Amino acid sequence: MSSAQPTSRSALPPDTPGTHSRRLGVIAVVATFGGLLFGYDTGVINGALEPMKDDLGLTSFTEGLVVSILIFGAAIGALVGGRLSDKYGRRHNILLLSGVFALGTIGCVLAPSWEVLAVFRFILGLAVGGASATVPVYLSEVAPAERRGSLVTRNEVMIVSGQFAAFIINAIIFNIWGDHESVWRYMLVVALFPAIALFVGMLRMPESPRWLVLQGRDDEALAVLKQVRTEERAVAEMAEVHALAEEEKLSQTGGAADLSVRWIRRLIFIGVGLGVFQQFTGINSVMYYGTQLLSDAGFSDSAAIIANTLNGLFSVLGITVGLLIMNKVNRRTMLIAGFGLTTFFHLLVGLSALLLPDGTAKAYFILVFVVLFVFCMQGTIGPLVWLMLAEIFPLKIRSFAIGVCVFMLWLANAVVALAFPPVVEALGIAPTFFIFVGLGILALIFIVTQVPETRGQSLEELEARFRREYS
């Protein structure tokens, strides 16, 4: 990050409220429909799987494949989506993604077989990954520096809110039309409405001013800034936008050749480890298969789909708490506490499944421990890993390094999604959660021995420290 940047920011006129503030708020709401779709499309499968299995004849393997293929698509979509938004613009890419969301949704709803469903789930995954790479960048480039953090984190909140909404809508639809063999199609088609809202809304939204500056379209960039700033602030901020655009160019210069540098390899190893262990908590096994997990624990199908809404609620509550405390607690402390708590609740789920007799008490114990696991995970490890990935890499390799780490994170997510159903079928709930306990212990060892503290240090200070310590 340029050392001149804080000076330029401090010299800027204040971001006073006005009609431009409302315009910025509308932009944030519309753009984060991309995050809402991300959450809904990853969460809706949770309640749809059981009727889908009966309708399409899924086995435990094809069930895992139908779920995980979206995540494999998202890994590719994140890579391709970032490139497309750099080339054609953030707004253009979000418009394109809204069309892909709609196409994927319609294809899934009309799928006559699991093979066709898998193809369109993969297409949905491309949109999910593209949204994960594009929407936060668009928000960060439209927002003033003072509000950037709060606006970008709205997208994270919208993702978990989308999952929560999917759980609630699934529960409502199942309890009204649960006797229809195609009830899962009703659950999936709901995603079409936010996709249409995203497309219509983005038609009226401006392009990112920083992207316009990178294209040499300064007059258009200034016009956009005047929509979301006071006129005085917009004119003054153009210099900062130019500086940030230059930083953006510099961040694109790093690549695979930099892996020859020892300290950079070490940082990428740490980043990949953080991303992979975040997914190996098994959070998405609950987000994707929570309803089935609760059915296996002893709830009836209708009770399980209702009880699963608690996972969505506590996911939203957890990430809200996490965002509130994130800058008040050291990163390592928060990570160690997070992995310690999630591993502890995995152990309690496993012991409950192993030792308690089948019945209502066993089902409710497992529900409580799973919900507490979700809350602790989303309140610590979930948002914190994304923050640390943004902090640990020097500017020159940031885009390349984060791309590698996020790609590995998506792959780890997909592995968990693919493996969870056949592992539970083969071993049962208890041994499956004991595997998560083992992975949690490995994660704690990794955090304690490998991950540095980054809170309270500038990006320049961190870079100098990593060069010194890891060379």
Side-chain angles (χ1 to χ4, degrees):
M1 189 173 287
S2 169
S3 59
Q5 189 175 320
T7 305
S8 66
R9 281 184 182 169
S10 62
L12 290 173
D15 180 41
T16 54
T19 55
H20 61 279
S21 304
R22 288 193 291 275
R23 173 68 168 160
L24 183 63
V26 171
I27 291 170
V29 169
V30 171
T32 53
F33 267 97
L36 184 74
L37 281 160
F38 178 152
Y40 191 90
D41 283 319
T42 53
V44 70
I45 199 71
N46 197 319
L49 263 178
E50 204 58 41
M52 186 186 290
K53 281 170 65 176
D54 296 337
D55 193 18
L56 300 182
L58 299 179
T59 65
S60 62
F61 173 74
T62 55
E63 176 187 348
L65 182 62
V66 163
V67 173
S68 65
I69 198 165
L70 183 145
I71 313 305
F72 285 111
I76 296 170
L79 292 177
V80 175
R83 298 288 184 183
L84 288 175
S85 75
D86 285 343
K87 186 170 184 179
Y88 297 109
R90 320 313 189 198
R91 173 181 171 273
H92 178 279
N93 207 46
I94 295 172
L95 281 168
L96 174 65
L97 290 169
S98 66
V100 179
F101 271 119
L103 173 66
T105 298
I106 293 169
C108 288
V109 169
L110 299 177
S113 65
W114 74 262
E115 292 91 347
V116 174
L117 178 66
V119 169
F120 283 99
R121 288 274 297 169
F122 180 80
I123 291 171
L124 264 182
L126 296 175
V128 165
S132 75
T134 308
V135 173
V137 172
Y138 177 72
L139 290 173
S140 71
E141 293 179 351
V142 173
E146 302 93 318
R147 298 181 61 188
R148 188 168 296 142
S150 64
L151 282 180
V152 172
T153 52
R154 281 191 199 183
N155 193 56
E156 294 296 312
V157 175
M158 285 291 270
I159 291 171
V160 293
S161 298
Q163 290 181 323
F164 184 30
F167 298 165
I168 291 176
I169 290 168
N170 283 353
I172 293 170
I173 290 175
F174 186 82
N175 279 279
I176 295 174
W177 296 294
D179 55 337
H180 292 212
E181 65 176 15
S182 294
V183 65
W184 62 273
R185 300 181 194 270
Y186 308 162
M187 298 173 181
L188 267 56
V189 78
V190 174
L192 197 57
F193 298 106
I196 293 169
L198 179 63
F199 178 79
V200 173
M202 284 306 298
L203 288 174
R204 301 176 61 83
M205 297 300 107
E207 184 51 87
S208 155
R210 195 189 306 181
W211 184 82
L212 290 169
V213 166
L214 281 168
Q215 308 306 308
R217 295 155 62 178
D218 286 15
D219 291 344
E220 293 174 62
L222 181 58
V224 171
L225 284 174
K226 286 181 178 179
Q227 291 184 40
V228 291
R229 312 280 194 278
T230 62
E231 182 150 351
E232 181 187 17
R233 171 68 180 250
V235 172
E237 203 169 304
M238 276 299 288
E240 183 187 61
V241 174
H242 273 284
L244 291 171
E246 288 303 314
E247 289 182 4
E248 186 72 18
K249 287 180 180 177
L250 178 59
S251 74
Q252 304 296 330
T253 60
D258 291 288
L259 292 174
S260 62
V261 181
R262 185 171 180 266
W263 68 276
I264 287 177
R265 285 201 308 273
R266 178 72 179 275
L267 285 181
I268 291 177
F269 168 72
I270 292 170
V272 168
L274 284 170
V276 168
F277 278 122
Q278 183 206 56
Q279 292 303 310
F280 282 176
T281 60
I283 181 61
N284 284 314
S285 64
V286 175
M287 291 294 105
Y288 304 154
Y289 303 106
T291 300
Q292 287 181 289
L293 176 65
L294 295 175
S295 293
D296 291 345
F299 285 99
S300 67
D301 287 349
S302 59
I305 203 167
I306 293 171
N308 183 64
T309 62
L310 290 174
N311 289 323
L313 173 61
F314 278 83
S315 181
V316 174
L317 293 175
I319 198 166
T320 303
V321 171
L323 294 175
L324 289 174
I325 67 173
M326 192 183 293
N327 289 317
K328 300 174 184 176
V329 181
N330 283 346
R331 314 288 194 237
R332 273 171 54 89
T333 303
M334 201 164 163
L335 279 175
I336 291 168
F339 278 107
L341 286 167
T342 55
T343 303
F344 175 64
F345 287 121
H346 282 146
L347 180 62
L348 292 180
V349 171
L351 290 174
S352 299
L354 182 67
L355 301 177
L356 293 178
D358 291 344
T360 304
K362 176 179 180 177
Y364 275 99
F365 269 106
I366 290 176
L367 171 64
V368 169
F369 294 141
V370 168
V371 164
L372 289 173
F373 154 68
V374 169
F375 178 80
C376 293
M377 162 62 195
Q378 299 288 39
T380 55
I381 304 163
L384 196 56
V385 164
W386 290 104
L387 176 61
M388 293 194 72
L389 289 180
E391 288 180 333
I392 64 175
F393 298 114
L395 184 64
K396 180 171 182 279
I397 66 156
R398 190 167 300 146
S399 290
F400 168 74
I402 290 178
V404 170
C405 295
V406 171
F407 182 72
M408 294 302 295
L409 181 152
W410 279 115
L411 287 183
N413 184 341
V415 167
V416 172
L418 180 62
F420 189 76
V423 170
V424 170
E425 184 179 64
L427 303 179
I429 294 176
T432 302
F433 275 82
F434 291 148
I435 291 172
F436 284 134
V437 171
L439 291 170
I441 292 169
L442 289 177
L444 282 166
I445 295 169
F446 176 80
I447 301 300
V448 170
T449 61
Q450 302 295 323
V451 177
E453 181 56 62
T454 60
R455 178 172 173 252
Q457 298 174 68
S458 72
L459 299 181
E460 293 84 4
E461 289 170 338
L462 286 171
E463 181 173 347
R465 174 183 153 200
F466 295 150
R467 283 177 182 271
R468 184 175 64 253
E469 292 181 2
Y470 298 152
S471 292

